[in-house]
Every structure is written in C-alpha cells, then in structure tokens.
Amino acid sequence: MHKPNFRITPAFALVSLLAALPVLAIAQEKPVEYTATMLSPTITMIKGRGGNIAVSAGEDGVFIIDDQLQPLTDQLLAAIRKISDQPIRFVINTHYHGDHVGGNETIGKGGAVIIAHDNIRMRMSRDEFNNFMGETTPAWPKEALPVVTFNDRVTLHLNGESVAVTHVPHGHTDGDSIIFFPVSNVLHMGDNYFNGLYPYIDLDGGGSIRGMIEAVELGMELSNSETQIIPGHGPLSDLTGLTAYHDFLVAARDNVQALIDQGMSLEQTVAANPTAEWDEALGSVWITPEQLTIFIYNSLTGVDHYTALESPETTTE
C-alpha cells in the first residue's frame, strides 16, 4: 500500500461539536472563546465552536462565510461586531451542516441575504436522516433557508475584490462550495479540508472520497505559496498543508481500493487497518480509523450511506 511521507499539523481541540443538527445540547449562556485572526485588510478568520468563519469587512459592509451553531449565535455576533459594527449584508453557507448554518435564522431575520448552493436549500427544507449520526435533523424554519441559490458558481463584488464561490460536487456533501478572495489571496475550503484530524465524509448527504479529493485539487489550483487557507475545522493553513492533506486523502483512498480489488469485504478492509500510518496523528480527535475506512470503502463501492459494523456479540452469565 502506498504511504506518503509527510506531517499534518496536530489538532488544537478544534471540533468540540461537529454535528449535522440545528439544535445542540449546549448552554446558550456558556461563554465561548472566539479567536480572530486578521488575514488581510478586509478578511478576518474567526475560530469558535463549530466551523471556521471568514469575515469580510470594508467599505461595502460585512459579509461572512458560515455562522456556526444556533444556540451560540448571539455570542458569535458579538465577536463579529469587534471586527466591524456594520450590519451583516450577506452570508455564504459552505454546506448544510448545523455547525455551519446554525446562525442563519437569527442573522437572516436581521436582514442578511443568505447565499448557498441549490442542494443546501433543498436539504435544509426537509427532514434529513443521517446514518452516521443516527439522528434526524428537522427541516429548518423559513428564515434560516438560503434565499439566493446557485448551481455552479456565483461571484460577489464587495470590499475591493470579486469573491468567487465555486460548487464542488460530491465532496464533503453534495452542496459544498469553496470561496476564493483573489485580492486578499485567502481561500476558504469549508469541510473539504479538516486540518489536523480525519475528515467526515457525509455519504448520506451526497459526499464522496473522490469528490473531496477533487475539491482539494481545485483549492490547490487556486492557491500559491502565499495563499492563506481556511479549513472547515482546524488551524489556519497554506498550500503546503493543503497539499499534504491531498496526498493523505489519495493514499488512504488507494489503500482501501487495493483491498477492494483483492475482494475484501467491508469488515475485512476495516480489520486490515489501511489508515494505520495516520491513526496516531489524526484518528483520535473525532473521526476514528474505522469510521474513515467505512466512509472510503462505501464511497468507492457505491454505497450512499454510512453502515456501522456490528459489535461482536457478548454473552452474560
């Protein structure tokens, strides 16, 4: 099995709550530490609880990429106001999961226009059962839904640059977009890039290993040695880090495909531990080695949902 030689930045307690649910059991009053990092005169990255956020603030106002978890929206808005006290004009959702769209309802009611791929509005408009989570996410209220949707790409001309939003089919989900700020030379990858931990490939939401690799390859094409790359989760990165992540995804896919080609079942493939090289560094933060192998195996064999392995039967005397 091919195993590239590289290192990935360790996780920094980065995914406290990754879940595709609109309401999570978090005390709204519990303080969250938000960290703001200025990446250019107009772009700031915010890390809090949920997906990483990009804030563009300038002469044309404020727009943001993703808005984290619903119960924490007021705290997030307070963090954004420290960057700019102008109202939020637009929100771009990178995908439909609750840790990226949770603030939509409140921010939408405040007058912001929510922009997303067609599939995000479709999935947010209906109940969605997820086999990996074992949960049904109820349809979101009308105020939380994107009001401007697109099929392939859309461009925002704000704050001194033409911001390119590009759909990447069947990556982390079937509605993902990556967003590139050409003047600031900043790229937001959404959850196609988990920096420092194993990725979640949402098979139930239309995701696939091939699509995730293709999304990362597009991000690499857009980037150069000076590009600052915002992952969906994890610390700020660059082209070197994104390239290492790409090589890991390709190698993990090839390792699993080699076992499939040998005729191995899902159970046998998991037992062969095709992700062994990266398990210590990446496999203990959230997604486990077994889960990642199942994502990849099912994706490569055309199974469009997560299938957990049965636990060994136990007997009691």
Side-chain angles (χ1 to χ4, degrees), residues 15-92:
V15 262
S16 50
L17 287 165
L18 277 172
L21 302 171
V23 179
L24 299 172
I26 309 167
Q28 187 168 2
E29 66 275 9
K30 184 176 181 179
V32 174
E33 181 180 353
Y34 291 94
T35 303
T37 304
M38 181 171 286
L39 307 182
S40 79
T42 57
I43 307 299
T44 301
M45 170 182 166
I46 292 181
K47 287 181 63 61
R49 183 171 295 158
N52 292 330
I53 292 174
V55 179
S56 173
E59 61 182 7
D60 297 319
V62 174
F63 74 92
I64 64 174
I65 300 172
D66 289 341
D67 47 34
Q68 296 192 344
L69 296 159
Q70 185 181 48
L72 305 175
T73 304
D74 288 343
Q75 293 186 54
L76 172 63
L77 290 174
I80 293 173
R81 282 192 291 270
K82 293 180 180 179
I83 299 168
S84 174
D85 59 3
Q86 299 182 79
I88 298 172
R89 294 183 59 190
F90 300 97
V91 176
I92 301 171

